[in-house]
Amino acid sequence: MSQTQTEQPTRLLLVDDHPMVQGGLSACLSFYDDIEIVGMTHDGKDALEKALALKPDVILMDISMPSMNGIDATEIITDSLQDTKVLIFSMHDSPEFVTSSIQAGASGYILKDTTSEEVYYAVKAVAKGQTHFSSSIAKMLIDKPARDTSQKLTTREQLILTHVAQGKSSKEIARILNISFRTVEAHRRNMKSKLNIESLAELICYAVDHGLVEK
Amino acid sequence: MTLPFRLLFIAVLQVVLTSILTYFLVTDEYRDLSSQSVDTLESFLIEQKHRELQNYTLLAVSAMSDAYENSAIDDDEAKAQVTEIIHAMTYSGNDGYFFVYDGEGNGVVHPKEPYRVGQNWWELEGENGDKTIQILIENAKAGGGFHRYPWRKPSADEMSEKMGYSVYLEKWNWMIGTGVYLDDVNSQLNKLQREIDQHINKTKQIILVVAMSSIFVIFLLGLILNLSQKKKTDQKISELGLKIINMQEEERRHISRELHDGIVQVLVSIKYSLEATGLWLKKAKVDKPQPLDHAQSNLQDAISEIRRISHHLHPRILDELGLSAAMDALATEFSEQTGITVNVTKPAVRKLVQNSISTTLYRVVQESLINVQKHARASEVNIEMTIKDKWLTLTIKDNGQGFDADNNSKGDDYGIGLRNLAERVEYHLGEFSVHSSQAGTQVTARIPKTSYANTLPVKEGPAE
């Protein structure tokens, strides 16, 4: 996994709502030889397709985008591509965004107002399997830790819960979502533990109670 | 307001005019009818009296006919006999009697007023100047006739109107007459007149009652109309208010998005362009000029400032992460600013409700927290959101001093804020309530599942 500057460059996919930001950033990153920008896209759904097709090392992911936000896209991508790391690159600086991103499987979170140099270091760190957070983000997480979100379902888990409540088996869900059977099972286990629920019946009840499916 | 009032006025006016007109028409007609019936009754009664008098007179004449027919002109014996007979003849109790005068007006027989006998009454006048005895004699000479004149009524011993009938005994040059007193006729007529007057009075009262009740009904209807119109107007105003709030919220969201996703992104791109310039200069081994540094740091300030404005207009976290996360962020921010502890309890599911509802609930939390900061003097706030029994319930509870008692001066803006919130919650068919006591204030907003469940988005995976 480990890469040095003399080895193969890190393959990077840029996902950003705004083409001008993308342009500016790619201009900056072009000064670094060990980063190769393999693709760019402007929205979450397109990012999913590009990620599956290009299998980049790192995806620099914006959050606010039309059609699908970056956090939901991150969750789906990290479900499907084990070797692709996602680095959130956003204007949002609330701890809730950061924790939601971490829950969704992001390896790091940097703010758009950081320097391109930090973007470079963050991309390299994440590519090595480390995590990276902007210093202001890290400081904020220490100063005012996000409120307890560990019990909250992620968008992906909520979607799977909906399917479960509609009577679908893990196999079917895996086929629908184009992920492995084991991933679906892992999500289900995770949900049960978050909701403190033992049985499938209770899981379905919960989904009905909360209006996830029509009775 | 003015149109119903005018209609009301016209209706009342109409009723009043109709009543007055009806009153005059009816009473006029009634008086006409009544005077006709009084006249009819009078002439009937008088006719009856006439016949009565003629019959009595016939009776008297036939009673004395034996003595009279067989007598001579100056037969004093026969005259005395007839005088006695006539003197004795009475009817109808005390008041029916016969009297006799000779052709010159000398009294011959008068059983009730004996002093008249032997004296001359030729010039005797009634109140209206009629020469009573002369007329009676005239009538008698003409073959019998009636005359009305005032005379003393024996039974009552007072003057009363009398109807006299007289015939003439030619041979003796006598006028024999009798009369009835008309006071019973008059009293009957008066009674009838009274009855008619009473009837008119009654009619007047009925018309008055009908008119008053009509006016009352009109006023009642007007009042109801007015009230329902006011209610309608109020509803329209509140709908308009909500529309304005929704539009404002939408506008804020739009501007916030434009700022955050538009201008800020452009500025960020410029920032990277400037950085790229710096990197390019570095590569060309040229020192970075100072103005470039300034531009970069000023740009950073501009970005922060616009982001602050955008956040203030509409929290993007609400759109991106949903209500729970937005409440968390709000609570954290609030705690930081005020030092008041805020606990947040929320369900594990996310993004259940559509934007308009989550924005409304977010504003409920926001407004409640502002109120807590301004008025409550609380040390702790508990925000709880639960989904249970087909209701999404949000409560914000503080341990402060309550607000109703001491904060009258501040009550106004407090109240308006809460009322707006209530309307916004009710717009989503929800319920809103505020309970305040010395132990603190609790704001509760409830949204029925039916208001959001059917719009629930099921997000699709990449393969679909």
Side-chain angles (χ1 to χ4, degrees):
Chain A
M1 282 293 280
S2 76
Q3 290 175 327
T4 64
Q5 289 188 7
T6 53
E7 289 171 2
Q8 275 195 328
T10 305
R11 300 173 71 249
L12 182 65
L13 174 64
L14 292 184
V15 183
D16 199 299
D17 184 19
H18 217 283
M20 286 172 85
V21 175
Q22 246 172 18
L25 185 64
S26 64
C28 290
L29 293 178
S30 67
F31 286 96
Y32 300 94
D33 299 328
D34 53 351
I35 285 181
E36 182 195 351
I37 295 170
V38 294
M40 295 194 234
T41 181
H42 308 308
D43 85 284
K45 281 205 168 161
D46 192 43
L48 299 179
E49 283 173 30
K50 285 227 160 63
L52 286 174
L54 299 169
K55 294 191 170 51
D57 298 321
V58 176
I59 300 173
L60 199 60
M61 182 79 84
D62 193 7
I63 290 180
S64 295
M65 286 182 294
S67 84
M68 179 182 284
N69 79 34
I71 295 173
D72 292 347
T74 299
E75 200 180 6
I76 294 167
I77 289 168
T78 50
D79 254 4
S80 320
L81 300 169
Q82 304 300 323
D83 295 332
T84 299
K85 308 294 178 193
V86 178
L87 178 60
I88 300 293
F89 181 57
S90 167
M91 215 61 237
H92 298 294
D93 60 358
S94 299
E96 286 73 23
F97 278 102
V98 182
T99 49
S100 293
S101 302
I102 295 168
Q103 260 192 299
S107 304
Y109 197 115
I110 51 175
L111 291 174
K112 278 191 182 173
D113 58 8
T114 52
T115 61
S116 59
E117 198 177 2
E118 193 187 341
V119 175
Y120 166 76
Y121 285 121
V123 169
K124 296 307 282 184
V126 166
K128 281 180 203 154
Q130 299 165 355
T131 56
H132 184 95
F133 295 95
S134 283
S135 55
S136 57
I137 291 286
K139 189 169 178 299
M140 181 189 67
L141 281 180
I142 294 162
D143 284 352
K144 38 174 181 179
R147 283 158 193 279
D148 183 19
T149 52
S150 62
Q151 298 309 306
K152 268 186 96 64
L153 299 183
T154 64
T155 307
R156 189 67 151 177
E157 284 165 348
Q158 202 160 310
L159 177 65
I160 291 171
L161 176 57
T162 307
H163 284 304
V164 168
Q166 284 167 345
K168 297 199 174 80
S169 70
S170 294
K171 213 179 258 177
E172 283 175 288
I173 297 169
R175 191 177 47 75
I176 290 166
L177 299 181
N178 200 21
I179 51 177
S180 75
F181 173 77
R182 278 171 53 203
T183 310
V184 176
E185 284 290 297
H187 278 307
R188 287 179 70 152
R189 265 200 309 281
N190 215 3
M191 271 191 292
K192 282 178 181 169
S193 114
K194 277 183 179 176
L195 300 175
N196 201 14
I197 274 174
E198 295 290 324
S199 69
L200 177 64
E202 281 176 288
L203 207 58
I204 293 171
C205 268
Y206 183 90
V208 171
D209 274 352
H210 287 75
L212 290 177
V213 287
E214 291 290 330
K215 179 83 182 168
Chain B
M1 270 305 267
T2 54
L3 185 70
F5 182 73
R6 274 170 63 180
L7 283 176
L8 200 74
F9 180 72
I10 289 169
V12 169
L13 196 70
Q14 212 163 13
V15 167
V16 169
L17 287 179
T18 310
S19 306
I20 291 171
L21 201 67
T22 313
Y23 173 72
F24 279 114
L25 279 177
V26 168
T27 49
D28 203 44
E29 192 76 3
Y30 231 96
R31 278 193 212 285
D32 252 23
L33 270 171
S34 71
S35 75
Q36 271 176 32
S37 63
V38 167
D39 288 349
T40 312
L41 180 70
E42 190 179 9
S43 60
F44 171 78
L45 289 173
I46 296 296
E47 189 68 29
Q48 213 177 17
K49 296 291 176 193
H50 284 177
R51 261 202 311 279
E52 218 177 307
L53 285 173
Q54 279 172 327
N55 289 341
Y56 287 137
T57 310
L58 201 65
L59 200 71
V61 169
S62 47
M64 62 181 206
S65 65
D66 271 359
Y68 177 70
E69 296 297 336
N70 301 324
S71 71
I73 294 174
D74 285 323
D75 190 341
D76 285 335
E77 198 184 331
K79 281 184 181 175
Q81 196 183 342
V82 167
T83 301
E84 204 172 322
I85 291 169
I86 290 172
H87 190 90
M89 277 183 76
T90 55
Y91 56 91
S92 306
N94 228 5
D95 294 334
Y97 60 92
F98 293 88
F99 50 81
V100 177
Y101 293 85
D102 67 16
E104 283 78 45
N106 294 309
V108 178
V109 178
H110 205 297
K112 301 300 172 190
E113 293 168 18
Y115 66 91
R116 292 192 186 276
V117 176
Q119 292 198 40
N120 189 281
W121 301 97
W122 184 253
E123 293 299 325
L124 182 70
E125 278 187 14
E127 279 165 356
N128 51 359
D130 286 349
K131 309 270 190 195
T132 308
I133 301 300
Q134 287 182 30
I135 292 172
L136 285 171
I137 292 170
E138 241 169 74
N139 283 345
K141 281 182 177 168
F146 300 97
H147 176 51
R148 287 159 88 157
Y149 55 94
W151 202 263
R152 202 182 62 86
K153 187 178 182 182
S155 63
D157 198 16
E158 60 185 23
M159 296 303 281
S160 172
E161 194 182 11
K162 185 167 184 171
M163 161 100 70
Y165 180 70
S166 50
V167 293
Y168 213 64
L169 303 178
E170 301 252 358
K171 196 164 40 179
W172 292 352
N173 201 20
W174 274 11
M175 177 270 286
I176 177 166
T178 186
V180 290
Y181 294 89
L182 293 177
D183 46 359
D184 62 329
V185 172
N186 286 338
S187 78
Q188 275 197 59
L189 290 177
N190 282 339
K191 197 178 154 202
L192 180 67
Q193 191 65 52
R194 263 203 311 282
E195 275 172 12
I196 287 165
D197 284 348
Q198 269 176 12
H199 221 100
I200 289 175
N201 261 336
K202 213 168 168 185
T203 310
K204 193 159 74 180
Q205 281 168 4
I206 288 172
I207 289 174
L208 196 69
V209 167
V210 168
M212 290 309 273
S213 51
S214 301
I215 290 171
F216 178 72
V217 166
I218 288 169
F219 269 115
L220 203 70
L221 283 178
L223 198 70
I224 292 168
L225 199 76
N226 218 336
L227 280 178
S228 75
Q229 196 135 11
K230 189 173 182 303
K231 208 168 148 190
K232 239 183 237 168
T233 317
D234 282 355
Q235 199 181 341
K236 260 186 199 154
I237 289 172
S238 109
E239 271 171 19
L240 194 70
L242 271 177
K243 212 177 248 176
I244 290 170
I245 287 173
N246 285 343
M247 271 170 59
Q248 192 187 29
E249 201 67 76
E250 199 43 54
E251 195 65 24
R252 284 170 146 228
R253 187 200 297 275
H254 181 73
I255 296 171
S256 162
R257 186 176 276 273
E258 285 295 312
L259 289 177
H260 192 277
D261 295 356
I263 294 173
V264 168
Q265 307 296 323
V266 174
L267 293 182
V268 166
S269 76
I270 295 171
K271 190 177 86 87
Y272 285 119
S273 298
L274 292 181
E275 271 182 34
T277 311
L279 287 169
W280 186 83
L281 289 173
K282 194 174 165 192
K283 203 170 186 179
K285 312 235 186 274
V286 178
D287 281 345
K288 199 172 172 186
Q290 211 178 15
L292 188 61
D293 263 342
H294 283 317
Q296 279 180 311
S297 84
N298 288 346
L299 194 57
Q300 191 59 50
D301 290 347
I303 291 170
S304 305
E305 185 61 15
I306 295 172
R307 291 194 56 224
R308 197 184 56 72
I309 294 168
S310 161
H311 179 72
H312 181 74
L313 284 173
H314 181 86
R316 292 300 309 282
I317 189 168
L318 197 54
D319 300 343
E320 302 292 354
L321 298 182
L323 182 58
S324 296
M327 282 191 327
D328 277 340
L330 190 60
T332 306
E333 203 181 316
F334 181 77
S335 286
E336 214 171 66
Q337 282 172 9
T338 62
I340 299 170
T341 310
V342 184
N343 304 310
V344 183
T345 316
K346 68 249 169 189
V349 286
R350 61 172 72 215
K351 288 193 183 175
L352 269 183
V353 298
Q354 74 256 34
N355 281 343
S356 59
I357 293 178
S358 61
T359 306
T360 296
L361 294 177
Y362 182 84
R363 297 297 184 205
V364 169
V365 176
Q366 203 174 27
E367 183 76 24
S368 302
L369 288 179
I370 288 171
N371 282 335
V372 168
Q373 185 187 0
K374 274 190 189 167
H375 311 299
R377 289 190 206 155
S379 63
E380 193 177 301
V381 180
N382 283 300
I383 301 173
E384 190 178 336
M385 186 163 77
T386 57
I387 296 172
K388 212 173 160 187
D389 301 329
K390 306 198 168 171
W391 286 87
L392 187 157
T393 308
L394 173 68
T395 57
I396 301 103
K397 195 174 173 181
D398 68 56
N399 64 351
Q401 58 180 2
F403 65 85
D404 40 0
D406 336 338
N407 280 313
N408 273 343
S409 58
K410 294 170 181 174
D412 279 350
D413 61 310
Y414 203 109
I416 286 171
L418 289 179
R419 196 158 60 243
N420 280 342
L421 290 179
E423 279 182 2
R424 289 177 69 171
V425 170
E426 280 154 16
Y427 174 76
H428 298 293
L429 309 177
E431 297 171 357
F432 184 84
S433 63
V434 180
H435 295 289
S436 192
S437 70
Q438 287 177 336
T441 302
Q442 179 173 340
V443 177
T444 308
R446 279 153 54 85
I447 304 280
K449 195 164 134 184
T450 45
S451 282
Y452 61 83
N454 45 1
T455 58
L456 219 136
V458 174
K459 298 212 170 164
E460 298 305 338
E464 293 178 62

